[in-house]
Amino acid sequence: MVEFSPQVAETIIRAAALLGAGFAMIAGIGPGVGQGYAAGKAVESVARDPEARGNIITTMLLGQAVAESTGIYSLVIAIVLIFTI
Amino acid sequence: MKEIQDPVKMQKEIIKKTYLISLFPIISSLIAGSFDVFLGFIFGLIISTLLLRIKYNNIRRALDMNMEKAEKFIRNRYFIEYALYFIVLFTSARNTRINFLAAAVGLFMMKFTVVLWSVIDLFKDTFQSKIDEYK
Amino acid sequence: MIEFSPEVIRTVIRTASLIGAGAALIAGVGPGIGMGYAAGKATSAVRRQPQARGAIITTMLLGQIISGSTGIYSLVIAIFLVFNT
């Protein structure tokens, strides 16, 4: 039977938490692609209807700010993994 | 934000509003006496102002190309920008006189300003339409 | 009972944090893809309506300011993992 001393167990858990913090940030791909897609569609519709420009820009910015939240979730999880475990 | 059509005027307006909002953390860091936070914040703010100018020039150049070429051009320019961000954060992490988190917040300041501005515009519009309905 | 020497502990934690930092940098790809898509749409929009050029540049500039930030989140985590552990 293999047994770990408390120090070894602590080391392994700390290493796994740091590794997990790095992998959590891969989620940042999603909001980047989505926000760029929204900007492209907004540009297309500004060209189609230049009168409605103000409303299109406000809608685009709010949609991008909401899409940003998944990136912030992964950032929060990464910070929690680094600092508390 | 709605009535501004000209991109140069829009840039000036964004820079003005960003500096106005960031007066608050600058003055409070000076009052608290932490000079490294002040230095990091100013560093991030200056870099983000310069990168706004670079973004504008890139877009203006990309609009004259055809579609695939513009996609590739903007993608490559984004990775150059990413490398610049990396250099800024690396410098502030290595240098003990510059606070790392303050530099990161300084880089984000322009984005906060734009989002805040659009939210305020949305609230103004909502109240205006409510008042018009009441009349 | 398995025990680690302090050197082994340091090496394990350092290795984990470096692998995590490398994984976090993958997230920088997302905004690149999104911005490229927006730029492609903008060129076709200018082709269709050349007089709306100023409005299109303004919309794209706002979109780029917002969408570039998820890359910076991952950079912050990566540099933190490299230097502070």
Side-chain angles (χ1 to χ4, degrees), chain B residues 26-103:
Chain B
I26 287 172
I27 290 174
S28 50
S29 72
L30 279 181
I31 288 173
S34 51
F35 196 66
D36 57 338
V37 171
F38 170 76
L39 219 56
F41 194 82
I42 293 283
F43 188 41
L45 205 61
I46 288 172
I47 295 292
S48 69
T49 313
L50 293 176
L51 282 177
L52 182 70
R53 187 76 195 158
I54 289 180
K55 275 174 190 153
Y56 172 61
N57 283 340
N58 287 342
I59 293 169
R60 233 178 26 176
R61 273 177 68 185
L63 287 187
D64 294 329
M65 301 174 177
N66 59 2
M67 200 166 161
E68 288 88 32
K69 218 176 159 191
E71 272 184 30
K72 234 177 252 170
F73 177 76
I74 290 284
R75 207 178 298 147
N76 291 341
R77 288 306 164 112
Y78 168 71
F79 286 123
I80 293 173
E81 213 170 274
Y82 194 64
L84 287 175
Y85 284 134
F86 180 78
I87 291 168
V88 169
L89 290 173
F90 189 83
T91 312
S92 56
R94 287 295 292 276
N95 200 333
T96 48
R97 277 175 301 176
I98 301 176
N99 193 328
F100 173 63
L101 285 178

Side-chain angles (χ1 to χ4, degrees), chain C residues 9 12-13 18-19 21 23-24 27 31 35 40 44 46-49 57 60 62-63 70-72:
Chain C
I9 290 176
V12 168
I13 288 181
L18 285 177
I19 294 175
M35 278 185 193
S44 62
V46 166
R47 216 42 55 74
R48 202 186 309 149
Q49 287 238 349
I57 291 178
M60 253 197 92
L62 289 174
T70 38
I72 312 178

Side-chain angles (χ1 to χ4, degrees), chain C residues 19-34:
Chain C
I19 294 175
L25 282 183
I26 296 176
V29 180
I33 298 171

Side-chain angles (χ1 to χ4, degrees), chain C residues 20-75:
Chain C
L25 282 183
I26 296 176
V29 180
I33 298 171
M35 278 185 193
Y37 179 83
K41 287 288 179 196
T43 50
S44 62
V46 166
R47 216 42 55 74
R48 202 186 309 149
Q49 287 238 349
Q51 79 274 12
R53 194 186 161 95
I56 288 168
I57 291 178
T58 312
T59 313
M60 253 197 92
L61 198 63
L62 289 174
Q64 284 207 358
I65 291 172
I66 302 289
S67 63
S69 64
T70 38
I72 312 178
Y73 293 153
S74 67
L75 264 181

Side-chain angles (χ1 to χ4, degrees), chain A residues 2-3 5 7 12 21-22 25 35-36 39 43 48 51-52 54 56 58 61 66 70 73 85:
Chain A
V2 179
E3 281 196 22
S5 72
Q7 220 179 359
I12 291 174
M25 282 317 293
Q35 286 166 346
V43 163
R48 197 175 300 151
E51 302 288 306
I56 290 168
T58 313
L61 288 176
V66 172
T70 43
Y73 295 156
I85 297 177

